Amino acid sequence: MSLQLGDTAPDFTAETTEGKINFYDFLGDNWGVIFSHPADYTPVCTTELGRTAQLQKEFDKRGVKVIAVSVDPLDKHHGWKNDINQTQNCNVEFPIIADEDRKVANLYGMIHPNASTTATVRSLFIIGPDKKIKLTLTYPASTGRNFNEVLRVIDSLQLTSKHTVSTPADWKNDEDVIIPPALSREEAEKKFSKGIREVNSYLRYTPHPELS
Ligand code: BEZ
C-alpha cells in the first residue's frame, strides 16, 4: 500500500551526490522534502531541480532539508548536475540520491507501473520533524511541479502545526487564517485576540497569528 498522510517516513541509507547519507540523520529535527523525478538529462527534470536549487534559501529559511531521488547512477548525476547549474543559473547544493537498485523508489512507492515500469513518477513527500508524512504530491512525467506551491504548503503545514487554525484556498503566508468550526465562539474569542471575522457559523477568519 502507498504511503499515506500520518505514516512514518521510511528511513534508508543511500549513495548521493553529497556522499553516503542516512535519511534520518540527514533530516535531524528538521522538516524535509524528498522528491523523485523520472530520469537525468531530461528537460522537465532539469527545470525542476534548477528551480529547487534557486529556491534553496527559501527552504533554508523554513528549516527544510531537501533531497532528490532518481534511479540513475551517481556518475550520471554528477554530469547532469553541472548541466543543471549551467542551464538554470543555479547551484544545486541538495543531495541527489543514486537509486539504481530502486530501494528508495520502492520504499516510497515512487514507481507507478501503469505510468512506467522502470522510471519514477514525480513524487514529492513533505515530512515533519516527527518523521511523519505531512503531504504527498504525484505528478506525471510530462508536468513539472510548482515549487512555489511546495513552499506555500510548507508555510501552511508549519503554521497549522503550531496554532489551532487552518488555511483557505490559495492562502499566502501573510493572509488571514480560518478558525476551526470545532471551536465555540467563546473559545475562539479567548484564543484569537486579534479579532474574528465571521462569514457564517462555520466560516470564520482571524488575522495571521504570527504577524502583527
Ligand atoms: C522530462 O523531464 O522532460 C521527462 C522525463 C521523462 C519522461 C518525460 C519527460
Side-chain angles (χ1 to χ4, degrees):
M1 197 165 80
S2 59
L3 285 173
Q4 298 185 330
L5 302 190
D7 288 355
T8 300
D11 193 20
F12 58 83
T13 297
E15 291 297 340
T16 81
T17 47
E18 304 301 318
K20 199 175 196 154
I21 280 181
N22 170 264
F23 189 48
Y24 276 18
D25 290 345
F26 169 75
L27 289 174
D29 294 329
N30 299 288
W31 288 73
V33 170
I34 180 166
F35 69 109
S36 61
H37 57 270
D40 292 4
Y41 293 105
T42 50
V44 176
C45 299
T46 300
T47 62
E48 283 197 324
L49 270 70
R51 188 67 190 128
T52 307
Q54 290 165 3
L55 293 170
Q56 183 68 56
K57 281 198 171 59
E58 294 298 321
F59 287 105
D60 292 345
K61 235 166 60 183
R62 292 161 174 82
V64 179
K65 305 290 291 282
V66 176
I67 192 164
V69 184
S70 130
V71 297
D72 283 322
L74 202 54
D75 58 339
K76 218 168 158 186
H77 282 357
H78 282 300
W80 182 44
K81 193 172 121 174
N82 292 336
D83 275 10
I84 298 169
N85 288 340
Q86 200 179 30
T87 62
Q88 307 304 301
N89 194 24
C90 65
N91 182 23
V92 173
E93 291 171 354
F94 56 84
I96 308 171
I97 297 168
D99 193 34
E100 278 185 280
D101 61 2
R102 297 172 170 70
K103 186 174 76 182
V104 178
N106 286 329
L107 270 177
Y108 279 81
M110 291 165 163
I111 293 178
H112 295 201
N114 291 323
S116 165
T117 51
T118 52
T120 44
V121 292
R122 299 188 194 283
S123 288
L124 185 148
F125 298 84
I126 299 178
I127 297 163
D130 58 359
K131 310 288 185 295
K132 302 287 184 202
I133 307 265
K134 304 297 181 186
L135 178 129
T136 67
L137 275 181
T138 307
Y139 277 45
S142 54
T143 304
R145 286 158 286 197
N146 182 334
F147 286 84
N148 285 312
E149 168 63 4
V150 174
L151 290 170
R152 192 192 73 86
V153 167
I154 289 168
D155 286 339
S156 172
L157 291 171
Q158 292 186 336
L159 189 75
T160 59
S161 73
K162 285 187 266 170
H163 303 274
T164 316
V165 297
S166 314
T167 62
D170 296 340
W171 174 84
K172 293 193 193 68
N173 200 14
D174 58 355
E175 295 178 352
D176 291 354
V177 297
I178 287 177
I179 300 169
L183 283 187
S184 69
R185 177 177 290 198
E186 293 72 42
E187 286 168 327
E189 279 169 355
K190 239 190 254 167
K191 215 175 189 42
F192 302 108
S193 55
K194 290 181 181 173
I196 297 170
R197 176 165 58 88
E198 188 167 308
V199 178
N200 65 22
S201 61
Y202 59 84
L203 180 55
R204 300 170 298 173
Y205 293 88
T206 188
H208 191 298
E210 293 185 354
L211 299 178
S212 43

